[in-house]
């Protein structure tokens, strides 16, 4: 497993902070942070999904669009990393 898969890049953290302003200034981002408790509601989830797909030029398959995927930064980064690897 590579470091890129386990440690999010700065763009990822910026995207999360952009959608969840409460996270600003809490760097580094806790990989186990409960994103729902941090304010990730359904609208923010959609906005984050679109931003991630645009920034990383990937598509999240429908089966990955679950609460578990968007539960924590670590879970989301893991799914995003898998999609990036599959796109290569």
């Amino acid at each position: 497993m590579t470091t890129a898969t386990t440690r999010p890049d700065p763009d990822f953290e910026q995207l999360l902070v952009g959608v969840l302003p409460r996270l600003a200034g809490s760097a580094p981002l806790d990989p186990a942070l409960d994103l729902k408790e941090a304010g990730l509601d359904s609208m923010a989830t959609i906005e984050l999904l679109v931003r991630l797909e645009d920034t990383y030029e990937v598509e999240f398959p429908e089966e990955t669009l679950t609460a578990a995927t968007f539960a924590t930064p670590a879970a989301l980064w893991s799914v995003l990393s898998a999609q990036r690897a599959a796109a290569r």
Side-chain angles (χ1 to χ4, degrees):
M1 185 177 285
T2 64
T3 303
T5 303
T6 58
R7 182 173 297 155
D9 64 31
D11 289 338
F12 177 79
E13 290 192 13
Q14 287 179 348
L15 287 170
L16 281 175
V17 171
V19 173
L20 300 169
R22 283 190 244 174
L23 298 180
S26 63
L29 197 60
D30 178 359
L33 175 72
D34 184 319
L35 292 177
K36 187 174 181 178
E37 286 185 14
L40 190 68
D41 60 14
S42 58
M43 293 300 292
T45 300
I46 293 168
E47 183 177 348
L48 180 59
L49 175 64
V50 170
R51 289 182 184 193
L52 289 169
E53 288 183 335
D54 288 349
T55 300
Y56 292 99
E57 299 179 345
V58 297
E59 276 191 45
F60 282 71
E62 189 172 332
E63 63 269 11
T64 65
L65 302 179
T66 65
T69 295
F70 293 89
T72 65
L76 184 55
W77 180 252
S78 177
V79 173
L80 176 60
S81 295
Q83 296 315 307
R84 292 175 71 192
R88 291 184 186 154

